């Protein structure tokens, strides 16, 4: 393909994780002929495939055995017995988990459509684990009041992603594998396509479409210790922000309580869902002090803070006192082999401990981005506080902020979020195209601007190394914008990011070649991380309260009078983000804000 050729599709989706793949599959199934997906890595390497524990949905297949206690055994609900779970209970748990910052209308949609989505997965052949009578198996997860995590051993994301990818292929979706999106083309509030690089050839193209969706995933890679894949560098979020799109609630970054010590690799919450304990260096189950009712199955923000407090007060494990023990030994070999086989292998491979008979050292790890591109429940991206749509531009999954997770996401709700809202966005884009949306003209040569950007990066003789700048960013984000935050540390993070942005301008890309230049990709990714990290810190500085995952030691209380609002960040030239605040959608009769206790 000559590089000057312009590529055209009806619908163009960036990201082949669950959000992007659902959207593509649904749009194609609805009869849109020409749907294409770009992914910077092979679609099946998308981070969705790494998800372990489960996908939420009130299917009512399983209940705790009477009298067994909060971590006692489960049994299938006999046919004809009363259900224990409901969509309303799932909604309430999610709202409470979100510390009342989630938009309640969107949460209701997600929890209601969970049931359809799960059965659709099942009918497409997804290999869930099963109850003895053949229904989808369910386990407990943090912050959920019933066992509603539907799972496939600890490979849930893997089986979901394979299922949906196969279906997308079956419906003739075209995949551009290892194509890197670099820019978004928006003029007069109408999206007209993207600019992307064919990584193998090193060529850059303008790709026009009637509708574009970003399902580009999260950005845990801005932190030093993270459970996220190398690809999770928040490209889509930064590209949208640079194109003038507002980002919402970026200050809320989730730390998962059980990353492998020093590595951050995830030990699924299913470890605790199946009954695992957390112990300090005195072998105490310290969660008793922080969340007596829920113990290890309190929500993630609370458990991570509790671990960090134990560590900070000198009760951590390992030589540097920065770890906590995860104890699975009492679950027994059989249960670990059946329910947590991947987790066991990870512990053996990375820290040399077999959880069947050893204590696994873990620590909190940056895991999930609650914030992202502001969008409504059809994935329609909005331009401002009034909700003006950016015509033809959609977002779903972890890159989006439809605000179902508010200030803290409950485990298993994000595979659900990506599936439900990817699917809804697929329907919405199909309607948009089939109702006669036209291919909008593009002024100038957007690809040429991206070629010039790449050339400038390759030609930069700078004295810095991109890798050093990226590492320093991760260090300051971890030390100064992590689990506990305060004014002084956040100010320091902001100062350091400004310095790092300046250093980046003087950073050189080592590899100058055009084909499969991963060094160049790492440079572009570092640029993106420097862009959105500033937004995280700006939001965290502004929000003078503690809510969900955002914990300010200088403002330890939640402050609903001032801060029961979403943060919206627009790019304001070189001055950094311009913040404004959007009301939260709350049904005050049904789910009025309450104190959040577990
Ligand atoms: C280790 C781990 C375990 C998890 N376990 C669970 C769990 O048990 N339950 C749960 O609910 N959630 C879990 N999560 C969270 C959940 O997996 C994710 O939030 C969700 O899968 C995100 O899906 P997505 O489609 O938005 O993005 P992803 O699956 O991350 O996909 C992003 C896609 O965007 C593409 N992309 C990104 N940038 C570009 C670019 N510039 N150009 C082209 N393509 C690009 C990538 O190639 C990829 O295809 C887990 C997360 C992790 C890290």
């Amino acid at each position: 393909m000559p590089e000057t050729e312009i590529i055209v599709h009806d619908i163009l989706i960036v990201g082949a994780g669950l959000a992007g793949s659902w959207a593509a599959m649904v749009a194609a199934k609805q009869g849109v002929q020409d749907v294409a997906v770009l992914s910077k890595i092979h679609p099946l390497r998308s981070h969705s495939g790494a998800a372990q524990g489960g996908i939420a949905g009130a299917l009512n297949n399983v209940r705790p055995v009477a009298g067994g206690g909060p971590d006692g055994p489960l049994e299938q609900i006999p046919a004809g017995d009363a259900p224990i779970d409901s969509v309303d209970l799932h909604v309430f748990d999610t709202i409470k988990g979100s510390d009342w910052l989630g938009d309640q209308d969107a949460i209701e949609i997600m929890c209601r459509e969970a049931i359809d989505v799960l059965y659709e997965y099942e009918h497409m052949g997804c290999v869930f684990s099963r109850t003895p009578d053949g229904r989808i198996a369910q386990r407990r997860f943090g912050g959920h009041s019933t066992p509603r995590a539907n799972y496939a051993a600890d490979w849930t994301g893997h089986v979901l992603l394979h299922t949906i990818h196969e279906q997308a292929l079956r419906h003739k979706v075209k995949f551009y594998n290892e194509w890197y999106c670099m820019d978004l083309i928006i003029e007069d509030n109408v999206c007209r396509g993207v600019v992307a690089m064919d990584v193998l050839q090193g060529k850059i193209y303008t790709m026009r479409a009637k509708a574009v969706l970003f399902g580009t995933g999260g950005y845990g890679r801005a932190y030093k210790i993270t459970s996220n894949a190398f690809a999770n560098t928040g490209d889509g979020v930064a590209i949208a922000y640079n194109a003038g799109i507002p980002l919402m609630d970026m200050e809320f970054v989730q730390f998962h309580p059980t990353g492998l010590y020093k590595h951050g690799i995830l030990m699924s919450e299913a470890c605790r869902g199946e009954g695992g304990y957390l112990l300090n260096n005195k072998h105490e189950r310290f969660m008793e002090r922080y969340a007596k009712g829920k113990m290890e199955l309190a929500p993630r923000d609370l458990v991570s803070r509790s671990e960090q407090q134990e560590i900070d007060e000198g009760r951590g494990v390992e030589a540097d006192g920065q770890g906590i023990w995860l104890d699975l030994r009492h679950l027994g070999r059989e249960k670990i082999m059946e329910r947590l086989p991947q987790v066991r292998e990870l512990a053996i491979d990375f820290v040399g401990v077999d959880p069947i008979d050893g204590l696994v050292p873990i620590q909190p790890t940056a895991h999930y981005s609650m914030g992202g591109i502001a969008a409504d429940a059809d994935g329609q991206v909005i331009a401002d506080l009034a909700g003006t749509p950016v015509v033809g531009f959609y977002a779903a999954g972890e890159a989006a902020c439809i605000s179902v997770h508010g200030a803290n996401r409950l485990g298993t709700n994000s595979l659900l979020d990506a599936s439900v809202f990817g699917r809804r966005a697929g329907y919405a884009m199909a309607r948009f195209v089939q109702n006669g949306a036209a291919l909008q003209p593009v002024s100038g040569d957007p690809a040429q601007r991206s070629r010039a950007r790449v050339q400038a990066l390759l030609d930069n003789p700078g004295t810095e190394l991109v890798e050093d700048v990226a590492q320093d960013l991760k260090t300051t984000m971890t030390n100064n914008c992590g689990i506990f935050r305060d004014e002084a540390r956040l100010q320091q993070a902001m100062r350091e990011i400004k310095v790092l942005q300046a250093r980046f301008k003087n950073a050189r890309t080592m590899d100058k070649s055009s084909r499969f230049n991963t060094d160049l990709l790492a440079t572009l990714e570092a640029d993106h991380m420097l862009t959105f990290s500033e937004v995280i810190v700006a939001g965290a500085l502004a929000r003078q309260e503690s809510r969900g995952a955002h914990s300010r030691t200088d403002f330890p209380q939640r402050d609903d009078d001032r801060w029961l609002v979403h943060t919206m960040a627009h790019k304001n030239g070189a001055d950094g983000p311009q913040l404004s605040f959007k009301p939260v959608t709350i049904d005050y009769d049904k789910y009025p804000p309450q104190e959040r206790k577990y």
Side-chain angles (χ1 to χ4, degrees):
M1 204 161 16
E3 204 173 359
T4 47
E5 194 169 298
I6 291 176
I7 299 169
V8 177
H9 292 286
D10 282 336
I11 293 179
L12 197 55
I13 287 169
V14 185
L18 285 182
S21 300
W22 261 104
M25 192 272 283
V26 166
K29 207 169 151 188
Q30 288 302 99
V32 179
Q33 296 286 327
D34 184 10
V35 180
V37 176
L38 299 184
S39 177
K40 67 176 178 176
I41 48 179
H42 187 275
L44 294 173
R45 299 248 169 253
S46 301
H47 193 62
S48 292
Q52 301 169 348
I55 172 168
L59 293 190
N60 270 305
N61 293 343
V62 162
R63 68 185 177 193
V65 173
D71 50 11
L74 302 174
E75 62 182 5
Q76 66 187 26
I77 302 180
D81 270 22
I84 59 154
D85 203 0
S86 66
V87 168
D88 279 351
L89 191 54
H90 188 185
V91 170
F92 177 75
D93 288 344
T94 303
I95 293 170
K96 182 176 173 186
S98 82
D99 223 346
W100 270 269
L101 195 73
D103 282 333
Q104 298 184 0
D105 50 352
I107 293 174
E108 292 222 38
I109 290 172
M110 178 178 80
C111 298
R112 195 173 59 235
E113 294 190 7
I115 314 290
D116 282 353
V117 159
L118 284 162
Y119 289 133
E120 200 170 333
Y121 271 122
E122 186 178 42
H123 295 167
M124 290 185 294
C126 184
V127 287
F128 287 109
S129 295
R130 298 283 165 177
T131 63
D133 69 355
R135 285 174 281 166
I136 297 175
Q138 300 185 290
R139 56 165 56 121
R140 293 186 177 93
F141 244 73
H144 291 278
S145 33
T146 57
R148 67 165 77 94
N150 305 279
Y151 65 91
D154 54 3
W155 298 100
T156 311
H158 181 91
V159 305
L160 298 180
L161 187 61
H162 276 257
T163 303
I164 202 77
H165 182 66
E166 281 169 13
Q167 294 297 315
L169 291 174
R170 173 180 167 208
H171 290 286
K172 309 273 185 286
V173 171
K174 176 173 172 61
F175 281 85
Y176 291 88
N177 297 342
E178 297 179 325
W179 279 53
Y180 184 84
C181 174
M182 299 181 59
D183 203 359
L184 182 62
I185 309 170
I186 293 183
E187 293 174 42
D188 304 326
N189 208 37
V190 178
C191 180
R192 292 142 198 265
V194 304
V195 176
M197 183 199 302
D198 170 0
V199 177
L200 185 61
Q201 303 293 337
K203 294 192 173 151
I204 294 174
Y205 299 92
T206 296
M207 305 181 83
R208 296 175 56 195
K210 297 171 183 169
V212 170
L213 176 129
F214 270 17
T216 45
Y219 40 85
R221 280 279 146 190
Y223 287 82
K224 206 163 53 178
I225 300 286
T226 177
S227 66
N228 279 200
F230 283 95
N232 289 16
T233 52
D235 298 318
V237 169
I239 291 168
Y241 175 72
N242 282 334
I245 305 293
L247 303 182
M248 192 156 99
D249 292 341
M250 290 289 286
E251 61 270 32
F252 297 101
V253 177
Q254 176 166 83
F255 290 82
H256 192 293
T258 54
L260 280 177
Y261 171 72
K262 294 284 185 214
H263 297 277
I265 295 169
L266 197 71
M267 299 293 279
S268 170
E269 188 168 310
C271 296
R272 286 168 289 134
E274 294 292 352
Y277 301 152
L278 294 173
L279 307 176
N280 62 15
N281 65 4
K282 299 186 161 56
H283 288 245
E284 294 165 333
R285 275 182 81 187
F286 55 85
M287 282 311 298
E288 195 152 17
R289 283 198 285 282
Y290 304 94
K292 208 173 171 46
K294 287 262 182 200
M295 294 294 285
E296 284 86 354
L297 285 177
R300 291 175 179 173
D301 55 336
L302 209 166
V303 181
S304 289
R305 277 197 296 278
S306 309
E307 287 180 358
Q308 195 60 47
Q309 191 166 333
E310 292 294 306
I311 290 169
D312 292 348
E313 291 175 1
R315 293 186 294 278
V317 308
E318 293 289 341
D320 62 359
Q322 295 299 306
I324 291 288
W325 299 127
L326 172 66
D327 187 0
L328 303 178
R329 295 170 301 178
H330 55 288
L331 303 184
R333 170 180 290 273
E334 198 183 331
K335 193 165 180 181
I336 291 175
M337 297 300 281
E338 185 200 325
R339 308 272 176 86
L340 303 166
Q342 181 189 187
V343 153
R344 175 175 177 249
E345 273 178 36
L346 290 171
I348 293 171
D349 290 349
F350 288 91
V351 292
V353 175
D354 186 343
I356 291 173
D357 48 31
L359 292 170
V360 184
I362 50 94
Q363 69 182 116
T365 183
H367 182 61
Y368 185 82
S369 354
M370 268 76 74
I373 302 168
D376 73 11
D378 285 323
Q380 170 66 64
V381 174
I382 58 173
D384 52 30
L385 294 186
T388 310
V390 181
V391 178
F393 187 37
Y394 299 79
E398 198 169 335
C401 184
I402 293 171
S403 194
V404 283
H405 311 301
N408 171 67
R409 167 177 79 87
L410 295 186
T412 68
N413 265 352
S414 70
L415 291 178
L416 182 62
D417 163 14
S419 305
V420 165
F421 294 108
R423 180 172 177 256
R424 287 178 68 91
Y427 283 114
M429 287 191 294
R431 281 195 302 273
F432 176 69
V433 168
Q434 288 169 338
N435 286 341
L439 196 65
Q440 300 291 334
V442 171
S443 39
D445 186 351
Q448 195 48 42
R449 288 196 290 277
S450 289
R451 286 184 204 119
R453 174 183 173 201
V454 163
Q455 203 52 51
L457 290 170
L458 292 176
D459 292 346
N460 189 337
T463 49
E464 292 274 3
L465 286 182
V466 172
E467 176 60 12
D468 292 344
V469 176
Q471 287 307 330
D472 289 353
L473 174 70
K474 290 165 201 249
T475 302
T476 191
M477 290 302 283
T478 303
N479 295 346
N480 300 316
C481 191
I483 296 179
F484 289 114
R485 302 159 173 192
D486 60 45
E487 174 89 19
R489 279 190 286 182
L490 290 167
Q491 292 286 10
Q492 183 171 344
M494 191 54 104
R495 276 193 303 276
E496 288 182 12
I497 289 172
K498 296 279 184 205
V499 170
L500 289 166
Q501 288 171 342
R503 279 175 55 193
F504 179 80
K505 294 205 167 78
N506 181 36
R508 77 176 181 279
T509 307
M510 305 285 281
D511 183 352
K512 309 290 181 194
S513 63
S514 58
R515 283 169 196 253
F516 219 89
N517 187 342
T518 51
D519 194 31
L520 172 63
L521 293 190
T523 305
L524 293 166
E525 290 170 342
D527 195 3
H528 294 149
M529 291 197 288
L530 287 164
T531 302
F532 68 73
S533 293
E534 184 180 1
V535 184
I536 298 177
V537 176
L541 260 172
R543 189 174 282 276
Q544 295 182 331
E545 66 157 355
S546 290
R547 182 186 298 272
H550 172 66
S551 183
R552 291 272 307 244
T553 53
D554 45 354
F555 295 96
Q557 302 303 323
R558 190 175 97 188
D559 180 354
D560 284 354
D561 292 339
R562 288 181 63 207
W563 290 108
L564 189 51
V565 285
H566 297 296
T567 311
M568 299 272 274
H570 278 91
K571 186 169 177 174
N572 186 20
D575 292 343
Q578 166 100 41
L579 301 184
S580 52
F581 301 95
K582 183 170 175 282
V584 180
T585 306
I586 294 177
D587 182 339
Y588 281 91
D589 294 328
K590 217 167 163 188
Y591 303 112
Q594 301 171 9
E595 191 190 346
R596 182 166 169 253
K597 282 197 281 204
Y598 288 95

